[in-house]
Amino acid sequence: MNNSNPSNQALTHEAIRNFVPAEQCLDGKTILVTGAGDGIGRVAALTYARYGATVLLLGRTVSKLEAVYDEIESMGGKQPAVLPMDLEKASYAEMQQLEGLIVKEVGQLDGILHNAGLLGALTPLEMYDVDIFAKVMHVNTTATFMLTQALLPLLKDAAHGSIVFTTSTVGTHPRAFWGAYALSKQAVEGMSDIFTQETRNTTNLRFNCINPGGTRSNMRAHAFPGEDPMTLKTPEEIMAGYVCLMTDASIDVRGQVVALQPKH
Ligand code: NAP
């Protein structure tokens, strides 16, 4: 169990999964969460706020983001910000404008959790609808790249900027019928690796991927309609790793794909 990393050794994946956050361990940090209105992203946003971060809530359904905003306010967290953005439609220019907005409103950006994602169709590639394919690739991969690149100047200004991408077991090991979803997550893992190689010697930035593993959410229910959701971990139960990768305990963790529920 870790709540700090005084030895400055890169944490093991086991240590990241079992991280015990200290109170206010994210105090002074500003973290943007995409898909912050529902599922894992909603809980990550609440959890980051609980540990002292200022959270920027990005998503496409404003009413859901406002509900998360209210929850953070009512628990006494730092005032968050709602950033309405549909990643399927947003232009690169709109993403660049976010930079100016963040500077004006909060002055800094220390981390991004790229959590928003689309499942798309579960069908053989031979029959995969090309429009759905393009949409899933865009939201899960291309928009993730665009937003990262647009906000990179701000992240570089942070003492230890942390970019966390979200992958899946089928991104690490592509599986039949998972189509664009698996391919988009495989590309995200590659993007994290390339960003790591390109920035490792010149910046303090770190890029890592989290694979949450089977977690109770709407997406999981769509993917596995016959599954009893009560057999799955809740987003709350997997938050240790999400917090760890945003704290300074993980500043030496770079280019990793951390599975939060590894199969043994
Ligand atoms: P979820 O409940 O479906 O939540 C997905 C979130 O992404 C929602 O807030 C959704 O917004 C947002 N989103 C979707 N399309 C968007 C768009 N075009 N623009 C902006 N936001 C958009 O799914 P989840 O299970 O929490 O998944 C979170 C992440 O974990 C995803 O990247 C997923 O691939 C990954 N993951 C999940 C599991 C699992 O078992 N749950 C396993 C492996 C990986 P709306 O609420 O407005 O729709």
Side-chain angles (χ1 to χ4, degrees):
M1 298 282 180
N2 303 276
N3 58 11
S4 65
N5 186 21
S7 63
N8 239 18
Q9 294 290 309
L11 297 172
T12 63
H13 292 196
E14 187 67 24
I16 293 167
R17 284 190 285 274
N18 293 323
F19 186 71
V20 179
E23 282 301 317
Q24 297 301 306
C25 60
L26 295 174
D27 187 29
K29 292 197 186 291
T30 299
I31 301 170
L32 186 153
V33 179
T34 72
D38 213 336
I40 297 170
R42 170 184 164 273
V43 174
L46 293 170
T47 305
Y48 291 152
R50 143 98 179 73
Y51 286 104
T54 299
V55 186
L56 309 180
L57 308 164
L58 188 148
R60 63 179 172 178
T61 309
V62 175
S63 58
K64 290 186 183 181
L65 301 175
E66 285 174 347
V68 178
Y69 180 105
D70 290 345
E71 275 191 78
I72 292 174
E73 288 260 284
S74 65
M75 73 187 194
K78 299 206 175 68
Q79 186 177 24
V82 168
L83 306 176
M85 181 171 281
D86 183 340
L87 293 169
E88 191 188 331
K89 298 177 184 139
S91 68
Y92 187 66
E94 285 172 277
M95 294 181 184
Q96 285 180 306
Q97 284 162 16
L98 266 189
E99 188 193 358
L101 192 74
I102 293 168
V103 170
K104 185 164 159 261
E105 297 296 327
V106 283
Q108 66 185 75
L109 184 65
D110 302 279
I112 302 185
L113 172 62
H114 288 289
N115 161 85
L118 278 185
L119 180 62
L122 297 175
T123 193
L125 282 176
E126 187 178 1
M127 299 168 198
Y128 208 100
D129 181 289
V130 295
D131 293 332
I132 297 175
F133 188 96
K135 188 164 139 176
V136 172
M137 294 303 289
H138 187 83
V139 171
N140 294 3
T141 308
T142 309
T144 299
F145 159 70
M146 289 162 62
L147 190 60
T148 305
Q149 193 194 67
L151 297 179
L152 220 45
L154 254 187
L155 288 156
K156 278 184 180 173
D157 284 345
H160 296 287
S162 177
I163 297 90
V164 178
F165 300 103
T166 308
T167 185
S168 158
T169 305
V170 296
T172 309
H173 305 290
R175 202 185 300 155
F177 314 124
W178 283 79
Y181 181 80
L183 292 167
S184 69
K185 296 297 189 182
Q186 199 173 33
V188 160
E189 290 192 18
M191 177 159 53
S192 178
D193 192 0
I194 291 174
F195 266 128
T196 300
Q197 293 178 44
E198 291 174 352
T199 58
R200 152 167 270 146
N201 297 325
T202 50
T203 74
N204 280 333
L205 294 173
R206 63 196 190 279
F207 296 83
N208 292 287
C209 293
I210 275 186
N211 171 7
T215 306
R216 209 180 301 165
S217 74
N218 292 334
M219 183 187 288
R220 178 74 188 190
H222 276 108
F224 295 90
E227 184 177 63
D228 176 2
M230 299 314 282
T231 61
L232 296 168
K233 285 202 174 169
T234 62
E236 286 81 355
E237 289 174 299
I238 58 163
M239 279 300 123
Y242 281 84
V243 175
C244 181
L245 289 181
M246 289 297 174
T247 69
D248 287 350
S250 65
I251 58 177
D252 295 313
V253 179
R254 289 177 163 200
Q256 300 295 303
V257 178
V258 182
L260 299 183
Q261 302 184 64
K263 301 246 184 316
H264 295 293

PDB file of all heavy atoms in Angstrom, residues 12 39 48 53 65 94 100 123 142 159 173 200 216 239 241 253:
ATOM      1  N   THR A  12       4.916  -0.133  -9.351  1.00  0.00           N
ATOM      2  CA  THR A  12       4.470  -1.316 -10.082  1.00  0.00           C
ATOM      3  C   THR A  12       2.970  -1.174 -10.361  1.00  0.00           C
ATOM      4  O   THR A  12       2.287  -0.386  -9.704  1.00  0.00           O
ATOM      5  CB  THR A  12       4.673  -2.590  -9.249  1.00  0.00           C
ATOM      6  OG1 THR A  12       3.861  -2.493  -8.077  1.00  0.00           O
ATOM      7  CG2 THR A  12       6.133  -2.760  -8.851  1.00  0.00           C
ATOM      8  N   GLY A  39     -21.134   7.067 -15.850  1.00  0.00           N
ATOM      9  CA  GLY A  39     -20.256   5.906 -15.773  1.00  0.00           C
ATOM     10  C   GLY A  39     -18.961   6.164 -15.008  1.00  0.00           C
ATOM     11  O   GLY A  39     -18.940   6.874 -13.993  1.00  0.00           O
ATOM     12  N   TYR A  48     -11.701  12.763  -8.025  1.00  0.00           N
ATOM     13  CA  TYR A  48     -10.613  13.758  -8.110  1.00  0.00           C
ATOM     14  C   TYR A  48     -10.971  14.987  -7.260  1.00  0.00           C
ATOM     15  O   TYR A  48     -10.118  15.544  -6.562  1.00  0.00           O
ATOM     16  CB  TYR A  48     -10.369  14.169  -9.563  1.00  0.00           C
ATOM     17  CG  TYR A  48      -9.762  13.086 -10.439  1.00  0.00           C
ATOM     18  CD1 TYR A  48      -9.994  13.042 -11.813  1.00  0.00           C
ATOM     19  CD2 TYR A  48      -8.936  12.102  -9.886  1.00  0.00           C
ATOM     20  CE1 TYR A  48      -9.434  12.052 -12.607  1.00  0.00           C
ATOM     21  CE2 TYR A  48      -8.380  11.109 -10.680  1.00  0.00           C
ATOM     22  CZ  TYR A  48      -8.639  11.088 -12.042  1.00  0.00           C
ATOM     23  OH  TYR A  48      -8.081  10.103 -12.828  1.00  0.00           O
ATOM     24  N   ALA A  53      -8.755  18.160  -6.129  1.00  0.00           N
ATOM     25  CA  ALA A  53      -8.492  18.747  -7.456  1.00  0.00           C
ATOM     26  C   ALA A  53      -9.619  19.694  -7.869  1.00  0.00           C
ATOM     27  O   ALA A  53     -10.757  19.555  -7.443  1.00  0.00           O
ATOM     28  CB  ALA A  53      -8.371  17.638  -8.505  1.00  0.00           C
ATOM     29  N   LEU A  65     -23.570  16.742 -16.870  1.00  0.00           N
ATOM     30  CA  LEU A  65     -22.386  17.449 -16.342  1.00  0.00           C
ATOM     31  C   LEU A  65     -22.805  18.385 -15.210  1.00  0.00           C
ATOM     32  O   LEU A  65     -22.098  18.502 -14.199  1.00  0.00           O
ATOM     33  CB  LEU A  65     -21.690  18.244 -17.453  1.00  0.00           C
ATOM     34  CG  LEU A  65     -21.191  17.434 -18.655  1.00  0.00           C
ATOM     35  CD1 LEU A  65     -20.635  18.359 -19.729  1.00  0.00           C
ATOM     36  CD2 LEU A  65     -20.119  16.430 -18.235  1.00  0.00           C
ATOM     37  N   GLU A  94     -12.095  24.531 -31.933  1.00  0.00           N
ATOM     38  CA  GLU A  94     -12.843  24.594 -30.664  1.00  0.00           C
ATOM     39  C   GLU A  94     -12.014  24.013 -29.519  1.00  0.00           C
ATOM     40  O   GLU A  94     -12.070  24.498 -28.394  1.00  0.00           O
ATOM     41  CB  GLU A  94     -14.160  23.817 -30.797  1.00  0.00           C
ATOM     42  CG  GLU A  94     -15.224  24.539 -31.602  1.00  0.00           C
ATOM     43  CD  GLU A  94     -16.429  23.642 -31.854  1.00  0.00           C
ATOM     44  OE1 GLU A  94     -16.388  22.841 -32.803  1.00  0.00           O
ATOM     45  OE2 GLU A  94     -17.400  23.745 -31.101  1.00  0.00           O
ATOM     46  N   GLY A 100      -7.508  28.549 -24.077  1.00  0.00           N
ATOM     47  CA  GLY A 100      -7.656  29.929 -23.608  1.00  0.00           C
ATOM     48  C   GLY A 100      -8.649  30.018 -22.457  1.00  0.00           C
ATOM     49  O   GLY A 100      -8.430  30.733 -21.472  1.00  0.00           O
ATOM     50  N   THR A 123     -19.940  -6.821 -34.071  1.00  0.00           N
ATOM     51  CA  THR A 123     -20.302  -7.557 -35.290  1.00  0.00           C
ATOM     52  C   THR A 123     -19.023  -7.860 -36.088  1.00  0.00           C
ATOM     53  O   THR A 123     -18.025  -7.174 -35.897  1.00  0.00           O
ATOM     54  CB  THR A 123     -21.305  -6.694 -36.109  1.00  0.00           C
ATOM     55  OG1 THR A 123     -21.901  -7.455 -37.123  1.00  0.00           O
ATOM     56  CG2 THR A 123     -20.666  -5.491 -36.721  1.00  0.00           C
ATOM     57  N   THR A 142      -9.365   9.596 -32.715  1.00  0.00           N
ATOM     58  CA  THR A 142      -8.953  10.839 -33.373  1.00  0.00           C
ATOM     59  C   THR A 142      -9.215  12.055 -32.489  1.00  0.00           C
ATOM     60  O   THR A 142      -8.336  12.920 -32.325  1.00  0.00           O
ATOM     61  CB  THR A 142      -9.665  11.002 -34.739  1.00  0.00           C
ATOM     62  OG1 THR A 142      -9.483   9.793 -35.487  1.00  0.00           O
ATOM     63  CG2 THR A 142      -9.080  12.157 -35.521  1.00  0.00           C
ATOM     64  N   ALA A 159       4.042  21.315 -13.677  1.00  0.00           N
ATOM     65  CA  ALA A 159       5.296  20.744 -13.169  1.00  0.00           C
ATOM     66  C   ALA A 159       5.422  19.278 -13.594  1.00  0.00           C
ATOM     67  O   ALA A 159       6.497  18.819 -14.006  1.00  0.00           O
ATOM     68  CB  ALA A 159       5.332  20.860 -11.644  1.00  0.00           C
ATOM     69  N   HIS A 173      -5.598  -6.928 -26.514  1.00  0.00           N
ATOM     70  CA  HIS A 173      -5.672  -8.201 -27.247  1.00  0.00           C
ATOM     71  C   HIS A 173      -6.936  -8.175 -28.114  1.00  0.00           C
ATOM     72  O   HIS A 173      -8.012  -8.568 -27.651  1.00  0.00           O
ATOM     73  CB  HIS A 173      -5.744  -9.388 -26.277  1.00  0.00           C
ATOM     74  CG  HIS A 173      -4.625  -9.421 -25.290  1.00  0.00           C
ATOM     75  ND1 HIS A 173      -3.318  -9.708 -25.642  1.00  0.00           N
ATOM     76  CD2 HIS A 173      -4.613  -9.177 -23.952  1.00  0.00           C
ATOM     77  CE1 HIS A 173      -2.551  -9.635 -24.564  1.00  0.00           C
ATOM     78  NE2 HIS A 173      -3.296  -9.315 -23.525  1.00  0.00           N
ATOM     79  N   ARG A 200       9.658  11.863 -23.693  1.00  0.00           N
ATOM     80  CA  ARG A 200      10.317  11.342 -22.493  1.00  0.00           C
ATOM     81  C   ARG A 200      11.583  12.132 -22.128  1.00  0.00           C
ATOM     82  O   ARG A 200      11.807  12.421 -20.962  1.00  0.00           O
ATOM     83  CB  ARG A 200      10.579   9.853 -22.738  1.00  0.00           C
ATOM     84  CG  ARG A 200      11.715   9.233 -22.067  1.00  0.00           C
ATOM     85  CD  ARG A 200      11.644   7.719 -22.151  1.00  0.00           C
ATOM     86  NE  ARG A 200      10.917   7.170 -21.028  1.00  0.00           N
ATOM     87  CZ  ARG A 200      10.145   6.093 -21.079  1.00  0.00           C
ATOM     88  NH1 ARG A 200      10.004   5.449 -22.206  1.00  0.00           N
ATOM     89  NH2 ARG A 200       9.551   5.659 -20.011  1.00  0.00           N
ATOM     90  N   ARG A 216     -19.271  -1.935 -13.785  1.00  0.00           N
ATOM     91  CA  ARG A 216     -20.703  -1.679 -13.907  1.00  0.00           C
ATOM     92  C   ARG A 216     -20.966  -0.312 -14.537  1.00  0.00           C
ATOM     93  O   ARG A 216     -20.629   0.711 -13.943  1.00  0.00           O
ATOM     94  CB  ARG A 216     -21.336  -1.747 -12.520  1.00  0.00           C
ATOM     95  CG  ARG A 216     -22.779  -2.190 -12.514  1.00  0.00           C
ATOM     96  CD  ARG A 216     -23.335  -2.236 -11.119  1.00  0.00           C
ATOM     97  NE  ARG A 216     -22.619  -3.120 -10.224  1.00  0.00           N
ATOM     98  CZ  ARG A 216     -22.740  -3.106  -8.899  1.00  0.00           C
ATOM     99  NH1 ARG A 216     -23.559  -2.246  -8.315  1.00  0.00           N
ATOM    100  NH2 ARG A 216     -22.048  -3.945  -8.151  1.00  0.00           N
ATOM    101  N   MET A 239     -11.204   3.104  -8.287  1.00  0.00           N
ATOM    102  CA  MET A 239     -10.682   4.474  -8.386  1.00  0.00           C
ATOM    103  C   MET A 239      -9.232   4.647  -7.928  1.00  0.00           C
ATOM    104  O   MET A 239      -8.582   5.640  -8.278  1.00  0.00           O
ATOM    105  CB  MET A 239     -11.583   5.452  -7.612  1.00  0.00           C
ATOM    106  CG  MET A 239     -12.807   5.861  -8.386  1.00  0.00           C
ATOM    107  SD  MET A 239     -12.383   6.690  -9.952  1.00  0.00           S
ATOM    108  CE  MET A 239     -13.224   5.672 -11.156  1.00  0.00           C
ATOM    109  N   GLY A 241      -6.440   3.363  -8.848  1.00  0.00           N
ATOM    110  CA  GLY A 241      -5.519   3.539  -9.970  1.00  0.00           C
ATOM    111  C   GLY A 241      -5.720   4.866 -10.689  1.00  0.00           C
ATOM    112  O   GLY A 241      -4.756   5.502 -11.140  1.00  0.00           O
ATOM    113  N   VAL A 253       6.032   6.999 -13.661  1.00  0.00           N
ATOM    114  CA  VAL A 253       5.298   5.962 -14.410  1.00  0.00           C
ATOM    115  C   VAL A 253       5.014   6.510 -15.798  1.00  0.00           C
ATOM    116  O   VAL A 253       4.247   7.459 -15.951  1.00  0.00           O
ATOM    117  CB  VAL A 253       3.974   5.598 -13.693  1.00  0.00           C
ATOM    118  CG1 VAL A 253       3.217   4.547 -14.494  1.00  0.00           C
ATOM    119  CG2 VAL A 253       4.246   5.114 -12.272  1.00  0.00           C
TER     120      VAL A 253
END
